[in-house]
Amino acid sequence: MRVKTSDVGLNQTSFSARKKITGGVPQGSVLGPLLFLIYVYDLPKTVNDKTVPILFANNTSIIVKSPNSKDFQTNMVTAFNSVNKWFKVNLLSTNVDKTHYMQFKTKNKPTLGTKIVFNYKLITTLPKTKFLGIYIHNSINWSCLIEYIIPKLGAAYYIVKSIKPFMPLNTLKTIYYSYFNAIISYGLWAR
């Protein structure tokens, strides 16, 4: 890579050492996200039609739904094995320590005793998780999200209250919408 230091006030030209990249893309590179999307484009096609894969940045989530516990177990294990097979073929690996699953339940039906083992390690189940910045609980309620945003809203309220005597109304509205309202409305998607 050639760096011209005259751009920063010096009249010298410097070179960094050339290195061969054997795999991957340097973290933080401009092309990284685009190349990742191209690389994983065919991943969703590896799972069966009973599952819904969700790819975001470098995270892969798979939604498996079935009212029948036996079908649920079979579909979940099949999807997990298919994704891991794709990972292996494409020189990727599953980070088992960061891999979890969640079973959603209602008051009338408890969670199933599903167990998934990968590379002799048990994949753990979670009662709650953070998904794209939103906290989700397996009992399908908003308690986790509310617990998470209340302190943020309290901080936002304190800031607006503290600067209120010094700012005009239009500035306060801008701060409200960019901070307080952004916390409340995050994750609300218009359909």
Side-chain angles (χ1 to χ4, degrees), residues 83-112:
V83 167
N84 282 298
K85 183 178 176 184
W86 184 93
F87 281 177
K88 189 173 184 178
V89 166
N90 288 281
L91 305 175
L92 297 172
S93 61
T94 300
N95 185 341
V96 179
D97 295 330
K98 290 184 175 182
T99 302
H100 310 285
Y101 73 98
M102 177 184 290
Q103 291 182 53
F104 293 101
K105 63 180 184 172
T106 61
K107 290 180 183 178
N108 300 336
K109 292 191 175 191
T111 58
L112 307 171

